[in-house]
Amino acid sequence: EIGVRLVGSEMCIRDSVKSAMTSEVANQYIQLRLAQRRLAIAKDSVETYEEAKNLTQWRYQAGLVEATDYEQANAQYENARANVATTRHNILRYQTALSRLTVLPLAEIQALPEGNIPQPPDNIAVSIPAEMITLRPDILAAQESVRAALENVRVARADFFPTLSLTGSIGTTAATVSALGSSGTGIGALVAALSMPILNWGEAVAGTETQKANVDAAQARYTAALVTALEETENALSAIRSSAAKKHSLRIATQSSNLAADLALQQYSSGLQDYQTVLSTQRSWLTAQDSEASNDADWATAHVNLYQALGGGWTPEGNEK
């Protein structure tokens, strides 16, 4: 039984490490795709700000605006270029992390074609059996701890009675009743111990109470593991619902802010709008794009977290093999 528990414990540890590694690879991959999307946004912003800079430069040279407009446009353009460099550095960080986690050469990771942020199916989190939580490695490990503690109580109760295994050498006495029959116990000592009051009975009771306390502690750890599992699962499901609810609104916000930025630039070129409005609308457009990209990444990450919260995934209803 001890051997079975040890094997079970090793399997729990292995499954826990496997789940954690899989989740970490997935999260780093999502962050890589998010960084690549942000790089595309940053490059677009450089083109947009360069157009605005050239326009303000022309209007300034024509004496239509103050130098402030040009300087602001030029600062925005240079900041956008710096952001491109920062984003490229972030991409390298995620590629390096994936190389470490997958034990693949960095050049091989960098050779992967660029892609979109992975988007799970909308209904992937539907009909998840509640008992999936009990298959988490930490829950299984906690269950094994309870079983081991209960087994120890059973053994401790057996210690109320002397062991009468007559093996070993004759000539010495047993130190305690529970040791009777062990190597070095003599026949005379066995008879004497059985015919005398059992003086160490209180020690046996204390030992049993300790084992019972260990059972209570193991059960408390099991309950805590269950609560943690439920909390992590609920948090992941809540994040999925939140990201799903924001998807449509963020898409509309990106489209509207893009249109506002284009209109503001057109009105500025016609002298109908000041440059502060152009700056404001362009920043709003970039913020909206980043928010939409971040939400897509959050949506994917929430599914990864749900996978980990359930101990390594589940078989969706209707797809059982």
Side-chain angles (χ1 to χ4, degrees), residues 100-113:
R100 169 177 53 82
L101 291 167
T102 60
V103 200
L104 292 173
L106 178 59
E108 189 172 336
I109 298 294
Q110 292 176 324
L112 293 174

Side-chain angles (χ1 to χ4, degrees), residues 36-306:
Q36 290 173 339
R37 183 161 164 185
R38 282 175 167 160
L39 178 60
I41 294 172
K43 288 180 177 179
D44 287 342
S45 71
V46 169
E47 295 180 2
T48 299
Y49 289 139
E50 185 176 21
E51 180 184 358
K53 185 193 75 167
N54 293 336
L55 176 60
T56 55
Q57 185 178 25
W58 175 81
R59 287 176 62 81
Y60 168 65
Q61 291 173 344
L64 300 176
V65 297
E66 298 293 332
T68 305
D69 285 4
Y70 170 72
E71 295 300 337
Q72 286 182 318
N74 189 51
Q76 198 78 349
Y77 168 70
E78 294 298 339
N79 283 332
R81 292 183 60 190
N83 189 39
V84 169
T86 300
T87 307
R88 281 180 172 151
H89 170 67
N90 290 336
I91 288 175
L92 178 60
R93 286 176 50 227
Y94 296 125
Q95 289 172 334
T96 302
L98 283 172
S99 175
R100 169 177 53 82
L101 291 167
T102 60
V103 200
L104 292 173
L106 178 59
E108 189 172 336
I109 298 294
Q110 292 176 324
L112 293 174
E114 293 188 5
N116 297 322
I117 299 171
Q119 296 296 282
D122 291 338
N123 62 345
I124 196 170
V126 175
S127 301
I128 300 172
E131 60 268 22
M132 284 301 305
I133 291 178
T134 63
L135 301 181
R136 284 170 50 123
D138 57 339
I139 299 296
L140 293 175
Q143 288 177 343
E144 290 301 321
S145 294
V146 173
R147 292 192 183 98
L150 289 171
E151 179 64 19
N152 287 336
V153 168
R154 187 188 69 79
V155 173
R157 288 189 180 279
D159 286 343
F160 276 98
F161 306 96
T163 302
L164 296 179
S165 175
L166 301 179
T167 59
S169 60
I170 299 175
T172 59
T173 58
T176 63
V177 173
S178 60
L180 290 176
S182 300
S183 177
T185 300
I187 297 296
L190 284 173
V191 175
L194 291 175
S195 62
M196 295 171 57
I198 303 178
L199 301 179
N200 65 330
W201 187 268
E203 181 182 340
V205 174
T208 304
E209 292 300 323
T210 298
Q211 299 302 334
K212 288 171 63 179
N214 289 339
V215 171
D216 292 338
Q219 289 176 330
R221 289 193 295 271
Y222 177 64
T223 301
L226 278 176
V227 171
T228 298
L230 290 171
E231 181 181 2
E232 291 177 355
T233 302
E234 180 56 34
N235 287 340
L237 290 172
S238 177
I240 290 173
R241 289 191 293 266
S242 176
S243 296
K246 293 187 290 186
K247 270 181 172 290
H248 179 70
S249 296
L250 289 173
R251 186 176 302 114
I252 297 300
T254 299
Q255 295 171 352
S256 296
S257 59
N258 183 23
L259 179 59
D262 288 342
L263 290 174
L265 190 61
Q266 292 174 12
Q267 291 174 345
Y268 175 75
S269 64
S270 302
L272 301 177
Q273 195 62 267
D274 59 36
Y275 192 68
Q276 292 303 316
T277 301
V278 175
L279 284 177
S280 177
T281 54
Q282 287 179 337
R283 288 169 181 165
S284 296
W285 174 51
L286 293 173
T287 299
Q289 289 183 86
D290 189 78
S291 295
E292 185 178 7
S294 296
N295 188 66
D296 287 345
D298 290 344
W299 164 263
T301 299
H303 282 80
V304 173
N305 292 340
L306 180 61

